[in-house]
Amino acid sequence: MPSTPNSPPESPLSIPLPPAPKTRIPLLGALPLVTKHGLLKASLTCWRELGDTFQLPIGSRQMVVLAHPDHAQAILKKRRKNYIKGSAYRNFRMLAGDGLLTREGERWLKRRRLMQPTFQAKNIHLLAPLMTRLSGKMIERWRGQFGERATVDIHPEMVLLTQQIVGEALFGLDISDRSEDATRALDDALACFSKRGNSAAQLPLWIPTRGNLKLRRALRTLDKTVYGIIDQARHTRDGTQTLLRMLMEVREADTGEPLSDLDLRDETITLFLAGHETTALTLTWALYVLAQHSDVVERLYTEVSEVLDGRLPTIDDCDKLVYTRMVIDEVLRLYPAVWTVARNTVDDDELGGFRIPAGSIVLPSAYLTHRHPDFWPDPERFNPDRFRAGAKRHEFAYYPFSQGPRICIGNSFSLIESQIILATIIQNCTFTLDPSCRVEPRTQITLRPSGPVRMQLALRPQKIPA
Ligand code: HEM
């Protein structure tokens, strides 16, 4: 059968497999390399030595890392039917069930069409005031808690704020009270989930290990809480618009049926999980990199002062906070919170002259592509001016939110949120890296700092708006 750009070409066995690191050993593959340096550093080293397409076998898992935008485009767009979300999303499914992020094929398409209108601009406008209010509240708390200056690990602060924002956007719930059952269950579930993600042996949930029992307990409490919130939302009409209420109002195109409680549970947990850590990391990396670029901070402060004149930023200011947005775009280039997406290969394919056998896990990596010297001059340099309006580039040279049909549904929500939070911080604070702060990016599913991002934070005197 002749191949088309949308179907994998026939791949005779004579086509070579991608090169693999020389240091790999039988049975373990590149595991010692990855254990020693971490997946990110190992990938960077292999990329330099082996080129844009290389194998990184880990035990029996055949992983292929890809740095060229053409290959990301083939996997995520042109031949996407050949690349499915398989085992890589097993842990996420355990917590979030059968939500948009993990669905496949027709079931995914149907759900995406149903949910897309929930994220349209007019709904983000409805939710944005809470981003302004909660960012302002964080600054007030910092003033009370830290006085004029303090040394602060900035990442937990960003996680707390983005959790509050997405929690309130979804459920209308103030989740800053960590003693509430809902937040405790979520914290427990997230902690177990993250521990599971890091452990080499992930035993099935029915095996009664201590970790599994704790996770099962947390999931039960979480379910009880989320179903309670859904039930309450069904029976109260206080006019507060939340993502949950918006999702309750959508109807299946073919049957006219609303989403079931189970669907609502899975989608709200999916949005909560996909929607806070990613944005928190983007802001943490932004502050980390800005602390080392005082010229950029100066330009940001000038823009924020001119546009806001002491007011807190709102969604209506975002179009005018052009440089703030360029800074966020550049942070997402150098530190894409989702450093790679993962797919399982259905049929043999060929990418960049190499055979990709069925069953391989392919990792098109935004982190590598965003540093590709053929597409980004002086790629390691932090330079927000790359994102001036009208700059042209390959469709997949920049894809922090992925690209193609499965592009992140929350990308506008997140960009508005990041602009509002960053502008609020720049308006109210100065910050430098604490001399003891030594971090580098580490990968789990997301691109996290290797340790606390300690900053010396000073609060600017409050300006009363004219
Ligand atoms: C800086 C922040 C964010 C980044 C870097 C990011 C990145 C991504 C990426 C790379 C994907 C594709 C994953 C894949 O196909 O394997 C994705 C999908 C998704 N994201 Fe985001 N995301 C961010 C914020 C958000 C927010 C705020 C929400 C929701 C409120 C959200 C909800 C989702 C959902 C539901 C999907 C699945 C979409 C689908 O498959 O149709 N994300 N995101």
Side-chain angles (χ1 to χ4, degrees):
M1 196 176 66
S3 66
T4 68
N6 300 325
S7 66
E10 284 178 21
S11 308
L13 293 177
S14 58
I15 298 179
L17 290 170
K22 287 194 188 67
T23 50
R24 73 186 187 282
I25 52 176
L27 295 178
L28 293 180
L31 186 62
L33 183 75
V34 172
T35 311
K36 188 166 171 208
H37 300 291
L39 189 53
L40 189 70
K41 251 194 198 158
S43 299
L44 275 169
T45 309
C46 292
W47 183 33
R48 281 184 201 119
E49 282 170 10
L50 305 169
D52 282 344
T53 310
F54 56 88
Q55 295 182 62
L56 205 56
I58 299 201
S60 60
R61 279 187 294 172
Q62 201 47 250
M63 304 216 288
V64 179
V65 183
L66 301 123
H68 199 285
D70 284 352
H71 304 152
Q73 192 173 39
I75 292 167
L76 298 170
K77 190 171 176 185
K78 292 187 173 163
R79 299 203 287 276
R80 65 180 183 281
K81 291 202 170 126
N82 193 46
Y83 294 97
I84 57 167
K85 293 190 173 188
S87 50
Y89 289 82
R90 202 171 39 213
N91 275 339
F92 196 91
R93 268 187 208 106
M94 203 172 277
L95 199 53
D98 192 23
L100 186 66
L101 186 77
T102 50
R103 288 184 162 223
E104 284 291 354
E106 274 306 307
R107 297 182 70 253
W108 164 78
L109 185 61
K110 225 173 128 200
R111 182 58 58 85
R112 178 83 189 208
R113 286 191 178 135
L114 201 71
M115 286 177 65
Q116 189 70 53
T118 307
F119 285 86
Q120 64 196 352
K122 90 171 169 15
N123 287 342
I124 296 175
H125 255 89
L126 285 175
L127 298 170
L130 69 88
M131 299 173 184
T132 302
R133 175 167 49 77
L134 291 170
S135 307
K137 224 170 134 184
M138 175 185 75
I139 299 292
E140 264 173 48
R141 178 171 58 78
W142 285 1
R143 282 191 197 283
Q145 197 172 326
F146 303 146
E148 276 178 18
R149 68 180 54 240
T151 304
V152 179
D153 178 2
I154 207 71
H155 186 51
E157 293 291 329
M158 294 301 103
V159 172
L160 181 63
L161 177 59
T162 55
Q163 274 190 1
Q164 285 172 347
I165 289 176
V166 84
E168 201 166 318
L170 274 166
F171 304 121
L173 196 74
D174 175 4
I175 63 163
S176 54
D177 183 354
R178 316 302 284 177
S179 66
E180 288 286 331
D181 277 358
T183 27
R184 261 212 321 268
L186 197 56
D187 278 352
D188 281 355
L190 283 177
C192 298
F193 176 61
S194 155
K195 209 162 159 194
R196 230 184 127 77
N198 292 339
S199 98
Q202 298 177 0
L203 296 173
L205 206 55
W206 57 265
I207 299 181
T209 61
R210 255 177 71 184
N212 278 351
L213 288 174
K214 194 169 174 201
L215 180 55
R216 271 157 50 182
R217 232 181 358 259
L219 284 174
R220 274 198 304 273
T221 317
L222 189 63
D223 278 355
K224 202 171 135 219
T225 315
V226 175
Y227 284 129
I229 296 171
I230 293 172
D231 189 54
Q232 204 183 358
R234 281 202 194 293
H235 295 102
T236 42
R237 283 268 160 257
D238 63 0
T240 316
Q241 259 312 4
T242 60
L243 286 168
L244 172 61
R245 279 192 199 281
M246 295 172 195
L247 288 175
M248 281 175 156
E249 276 152 27
V250 299
R251 296 290 177 267
E252 301 276 6
D254 45 355
T255 61
E257 288 292 310
L259 291 176
S260 68
D261 281 6
L262 177 62
D263 290 331
L264 289 169
R265 176 244 180 244
D266 290 352
E267 293 306 353
T268 49
I269 293 184
T270 295
L271 292 173
F272 185 86
L273 293 178
H276 75 271
E277 202 211 349
T278 41
T279 311
L281 283 166
T282 305
L283 289 159
T284 298
W285 288 120
L287 296 176
Y288 172 76
V289 85
L290 286 172
Q292 298 163 68
H293 291 85
S294 54
D295 52 328
V296 178
V297 175
E298 244 169 67
R299 270 178 77 182
L300 275 175
Y301 185 64
T302 305
E303 175 175 276
V304 165
S305 305
E306 280 173 12
V307 173
L308 304 176
D309 193 28
R311 280 184 299 110
L312 282 175
T314 70
I315 188 167
D316 297 323
D317 297 309
C318 286
D319 280 351
K320 285 171 247 146
L321 294 170
V322 177
Y323 190 63
T324 311
R325 172 61 193 271
M326 284 158 65
V327 166
I328 291 161
D329 288 343
E330 176 69 342
V331 169
L332 280 164
R333 182 183 73 82
L334 282 174
Y335 300 96
V338 180
W339 77 282
T340 181
V341 293
R343 296 289 188 266
N344 284 34
T345 312
V346 178
D347 288 323
D348 280 10
D349 196 0
E350 189 193 320
L351 290 172
F354 296 110
R355 186 158 54 90
I356 310 293
S360 314
I361 297 175
V362 287
L363 302 176
S365 167
Y367 186 89
L368 299 187
T369 309
H370 291 179
R371 289 163 190 258
H372 201 304
D374 293 353
F375 299 90
W376 299 97
D378 200 1
E380 299 296 326
R381 194 171 144 235
F382 178 68
N383 174 17
D385 285 314
R386 295 175 201 274
F387 287 92
R388 280 188 183 291
K392 295 236 178 329
R393 62 183 79 89
H394 187 303
E395 186 191 6
F396 278 76
Y398 182 68
Y399 63 110
F401 293 100
S402 188
Q403 268 295 3
R406 292 203 78 150
I407 189 169
C408 173
I409 201 168
N411 64 349
S412 305
F413 181 101
S414 163
L415 288 167
I416 299 282
E417 180 186 9
S418 302
Q419 250 179 314
I420 290 178
I421 297 173
L422 185 59
T424 307
I425 294 176
I426 295 289
Q427 183 184 43
N428 288 284
C429 309
T430 59
F431 44 89
T432 47
L433 273 189
D434 189 77
S436 69
C437 173
R438 301 261 177 283
V439 295
E440 51 182 56
R442 283 279 159 78
T443 54
Q444 291 174 343
I445 302 165
T446 48
L447 193 74
R448 294 185 183 165
S450 54
V453 186
R454 273 191 293 273
M455 302 228 157
Q456 292 172 354
L457 201 72
L459 277 298
R460 296 182 197 268
Q462 249 172 318
K463 186 172 174 201
I464 309 297

